[in-house]
Amino acid sequence: MSSIHKLLTGIYIHKNFLRPRAALPPFVGSHCVDYSSSSLQKKVTSVDRASQQGKTEEGLQGHDHKEVALDAPSPDRTPEVSFDKAIRDEAIEHFRRLKDEIVAHLRGPDGRPLQEVIMEQARVVWQFREKEDLDKWIVTSDKTIGGRSEIFLKMSKNNRSALLYGTLSSEPPQDGDSRQSGYCAMISRIPRGAFERKLSYDWSQFNTLYLRVRGDGRPWMVNIRQDTEFIQRKNQMYSYFMFTRGGPYWQEVKIPFSKFFFSNQGRVRDVQGPLVLDKISSIGFTLSDKVDGPFFLEIDFIGVFTDPAHTEEFAYENSPVLNPRLFR
């Protein structure tokens, strides 16, 4: 009986569950199949496109990384430097500057017509209107010998003047040798021509130094250095005092060249002589009044001019004992 029951149960299952599905109506089956197939295709296509796009972006990013890696220089590689090319370019530049100097000299003094130079009554040599003008100057202090004075140079807020400021300290350095200290200075750079030749300023047609400054009441020393090739006159310069008034107002300082006295290494020499105005190499300002504390000096311009009322040639006397060559 059990075997007959199993046989009947299997026939029933085969007829009801394993028989083929009935065909759907044409209008229902086609739309359902198309819709289902299109939806599946869309899903598969969107997934495939997303994966392909991701792969493409990864490939592009990888390509960019490769390019960046190729463009980046290796830390082990050293850039090639051609000394021959550098020397050749430097020589070409100096020859070009030499050509410009010769052409300017043939045109006239300082590259200007001679008539214009002769009729000139005043000339601005240094002015401060941009940061490049500060590159023509050097600042120094007693820090070079171990002192504590500080000096700085910068453009003013309106870029119409230069501000020289700092702190003066007369404390000598602790080196066991120096006993005096306390100075700050600002010196103009010596002009250079082609092949680093020294050039000089020609002020022979002027008789007065002209400055427009604004200070804090401290006295400054104005130093003019001559361009000379003699070793024994290397540290010689001509100096004179400049007294600032202090306060918010500008001050016009006029110092005749005849007032400058001859000095060497900061000491006034017994034998005096006039300043050679056609061989001026630089000008400087020194503060050493032994008053510790902050200071400032604002400079608008530095120039020269001709004062027709000033006829003095030299303000200091010489004696036959000190300088017999002048009295031969």
Side-chain angles (χ1 to χ4, degrees):
M1 290 295 293
S2 62
S3 60
I4 297 171
H5 184 267
K6 291 180 181 179
L7 178 62
L8 293 174
T9 303
I11 294 170
Y12 179 79
I13 293 171
H14 177 73
K15 287 182 178 180
N16 290 281
F17 296 97
L18 299 179
R19 64 185 178 180
R21 297 176 60 184
L24 295 174
F27 62 90
V28 176
S30 61
H31 289 284
C32 290
V33 172
D34 292 339
Y35 178 77
S36 60
S37 62
S38 61
S39 61
L40 291 174
Q41 289 176 0
K42 286 182 180 178
K43 290 181 180 179
V44 173
T45 305
S46 61
V47 173
D48 293 341
R49 287 179 180 176
S51 62
Q52 290 178 1
Q53 185 176 1
K55 291 180 180 180
T56 306
E57 291 180 354
E58 291 178 359
L60 291 176
Q61 291 178 358
H63 183 65
D64 294 340
H65 287 306
K66 290 179 181 179
E67 288 184 352
V68 172
L70 290 175
D71 295 338
S74 176
D76 298 334
R77 293 179 58 188
T78 57
E80 296 181 359
V81 179
S82 177
F83 292 99
D84 296 337
K85 184 178 181 301
I87 295 173
R88 183 171 61 253
D89 295 343
E90 187 74 13
I92 292 173
E93 176 65 20
H94 281 290
F95 276 113
R96 186 190 62 79
R97 293 174 58 185
L98 181 62
K99 177 185 175 181
D100 295 340
E101 291 177 9
I102 294 174
V103 172
H105 181 73
L106 295 176
R107 187 182 297 115
D110 297 331
R112 298 181 300 166
L114 182 61
Q115 183 179 1
E116 179 183 346
V117 176
I118 294 176
M119 298 298 295
E120 188 179 23
Q121 297 295 321
R123 180 187 304 173
V124 176
V125 185
W126 294 278
Q127 62 179 353
F128 302 93
R129 298 295 181 267
E130 53 188 8
K131 292 184 178 181
E132 286 73 14
D133 295 331
L134 302 180
D135 297 336
K136 302 176 183 179
W137 296 85
I138 303 172
V139 292
T140 182
S141 67
D142 55 16
K143 268 193 171 182
T144 57
I145 60 173
R148 298 187 177 182
S149 300
E150 294 181 335
I151 184 171
F152 306 96
L153 179 64
K154 69 175 184 178
M155 295 295 297
S156 61
K157 293 182 179 180
N158 56 359
N159 289 332
R160 303 295 296 177
S161 59
L163 183 60
L164 185 67
Y165 66 99
T167 305
L168 189 68
S169 175
S170 59
E171 182 179 353
Q174 305 296 326
D175 56 359
D177 296 331
S178 303
R179 297 181 180 180
Q180 296 180 354
S181 181
Y183 70 87
C184 294
M186 169 183 172
I187 308 169
S188 65
R189 295 182 182 272
I190 299 176
R192 299 281 180 172
F195 299 101
E196 296 300 323
R197 295 179 299 108
K198 286 185 180 180
L199 302 180
S200 59
Y201 299 99
D202 186 1
W203 298 345
S204 57
Q205 65 183 94
F206 308 102
N207 60 7
T208 305
L209 182 68
Y210 186 25
L211 307 95
R212 188 170 184 263
V213 300
R214 180 164 56 183
D216 56 356
R218 286 176 177 259
W220 290 76
M221 183 75 75
V222 182
N223 305 310
I224 297 178
R225 190 182 297 274
Q226 292 183 170
D227 182 18
T228 175
E229 300 296 337
F230 295 102
I231 299 177
Q232 67 272 18
R233 301 185 63 181
K234 182 178 180 181
N235 297 321
Q236 295 177 353
M237 64 178 62
Y238 287 79
S239 308
Y240 197 72
F241 302 100
M242 179 181 67
F243 300 96
T244 59
R245 292 195 298 256
Y249 301 104
W250 287 95
Q251 171 184 356
E252 294 184 355
V253 180
K254 301 176 182 179
I255 307 175
F257 290 126
S258 61
K259 301 293 185 181
F260 283 83
F261 52 85
F262 178 55
S263 62
N264 189 350
Q265 296 182 354
R267 296 182 179 182
V268 181
R269 311 303 297 177
D270 294 334
V271 178
Q272 293 292 322
L275 178 63
V276 181
L277 294 175
D278 60 346
K279 292 293 184 181
I280 304 299
S281 63
S282 66
I283 189 172
F285 305 91
T286 303
L287 177 65
S288 58
D289 58 354
K290 305 302 180 183
V291 179
D292 296 352
F295 66 89
F296 82 91
L297 178 67
E298 193 172 358
I299 306 174
D300 184 8
F301 66 85
I302 304 169
V304 291
F305 82 105
T306 300
D307 186 4
H310 184 77
T311 58
E312 185 182 47
E313 295 183 0
F314 194 58
Y316 309 101
E317 297 181 352
N318 285 294
S319 66
V321 178
L322 297 176
N323 195 357
R325 292 178 297 176
L326 297 177
F327 298 90
R328 288 179 180 176

